[in-house]
Each structure stands twice: as C-alpha cells, then as structure tokens.
Amino acid sequence: MRALQPPVADGFELARGGSLAGLFAAGELPARPLLIGTNRDDISLFLGFTPAEALPELFGLPMVNELMLRESVRRFFPATSRANRTAVLERYPLSRYPPGDRYRRALFDLSTDGYFACPSRRVARVAAARLPGRAFRYVFSADLSDGAFAPGLSGWLRRFLDREVRPWLGAYHGANEVVFWHADDRAARLSPDERALGRRMVEHWVSFVKSGAPLPSWPGMGDRDEPFLELRLEGDRPGRGWHADECTLLEQFRFVWNPLTLSHRPFLEPVAS
C-alpha cells in the first residue's frame, strides 16, 4: 500500500536527496525503536460518510447489507478469486457481531484491518525482528462521549451528529489524537475517563521520546510474539495477537482502498471476475 505521508528527509535519519527505498536496498537503514498502532474503528469515518451508507442511515435503513459487503470485498481485493474472497469473508463471520448491525461491523472490521491494522502489524513485526523488545504496538479502543468534538462543530449540527452518527463511529480515526492533545484542555468536551486516558497516553509517548520505550506497563514485541497495549477508558490492558489470524490471510493479497458507491460498482479500477 502506498504511503500517503512519505518520510521527511531530515538530514539525519534520511539524508536530503536520498530515498528510503535506497536505504532499504543497500541494507543501510538503522534499527530504531518504534511505537506504532491503530484505532479499533479507523475506517468508520471513511466508509460511514460515503453516500451509499450515509443516505440509507438517514432514512432508518441498514447502512450496509449483504450485497454491499460482498461487493466491497470484490473491490478491496480485485486480483483474487471467488474462493479467496470467500475465505476473507469467513474470517469475519456474521455471528461475531450483534444482530441488526452485522454487515456494517464486519465491513468496518475487515476494512480497518486491510487499510490500517495489518500494514501496521507488518511494519511492527519487521521492526521487532531487527530490534527485539523495542517495537511497541497499541490498539486504541475508546468510544468517545462527544463524537462531534473533533471537527469543532456546535449547535444543531453537533446535536444531529451526536444522535445519528456517534453510535456507529466507535473508536474512529483521529479519536486517539482528540484525547492525547486535549486531555488538559478545559474547552474540550471530554469525560474524566477520557482525560485520564489522554494523560496516560502523553506519559507513554513522552517516555518513548526520552528513552526509546514507553512506561513499563507496555510490553515490547519480540521477534515472534505479538503483544500490544489496548488503550481503553476502563484502564489500559495488554493483549496478544490483535487480529493476527485475519492479517495473516489478508497479507496474501493486495488490498485496494475502494469505498462503497451508490451503484455498488467499482470506484477506482475494474474488478476481477
């Protein structure tokens, strides 16, 4: 997957005029500690605001149905066979999700894994293999109480979004930044638990900047195991192998970011038969 934010040539880690690909090819990329992670529902902002989902939701209809789910998988994995796509769907069984919201939840989990979580896992594993114990992975899973705070909205639009949108946003892309940067901002509409989470995150990040490692409660990745820290409102907790089985399967194929359309037809490129 192409990086949307390329590395900065700072003159130290990456020389001006040089390239990251060149360092990789020459085997000259130095091992460095890494802190990396994703949000549980990273994709919700990107799929949930497409017309194919937003319009049905306004009329009280399901945001995602079976057809949308299957057609999305065809677009996300255009070079795969029908058997491959069936195997992908089986990794996200509908029985895992609550009735009435199964197709959306399955699509959001699959899309978050394909676009965010699995690429981050791949990078973390490479870093841990080169520098065991110094790669640190997180999963941010906090559902914020004020979903409209991040865009800075107010009035009737805030109330509308809070009623109609926040229930399916989940731990959306950027929610971690809201609590991180606004933990001590009195103007921010954050709950005490959200502020406490933000402060814990700041302590971890400051420790990483100073020492190359977050606080001791955060386990580092070895060359084979996959520990992570789940950042939660109820208190952070360590875990292992976040969506490891799903990512092991998805990484066999090329994932293409290709969101839903009203016609359910490919948006970016033709789909393989």
Side-chain angles (χ1 to χ4, degrees), residues 6-18 20 23 32:
V8 175
D10 60 2
F12 297 94
E13 297 294 334
L14 182 59
R16 293 181 176 87
L20 194 60
L23 290 177
R32 292 286 186 269

Side-chain angles (χ1 to χ4, degrees), residues 188-256:
R189 301 187 182 186
L190 298 177
S191 69
D193 286 343
E194 290 164 352
R195 294 184 185 278
L197 172 57
R199 294 185 184 109
R200 292 197 304 274
M201 292 174 63
V202 169
E203 291 176 355
H204 280 303
W205 264 251
V206 168
S207 176
F208 180 80
V209 170
K210 288 183 176 180
S211 67
L215 299 179
S217 59
W218 192 324
M221 293 179 62
D223 58 349
R224 295 193 178 185
D225 62 346
E226 298 186 31
F228 66 91
L229 186 68
E230 183 180 2
L231 301 172
R232 314 184 308 157
L233 294 177
E234 306 88 342
D236 308 330
R237 69 179 176 190
R240 290 188 179 276
W242 177 262
H243 289 200
D245 292 339
E246 291 86 345
C247 290
T248 297
L249 175 64
L250 297 189
E251 287 172 359
Q252 299 178 38
F253 315 118
R254 175 172 174 253
F255 180 90
V256 177

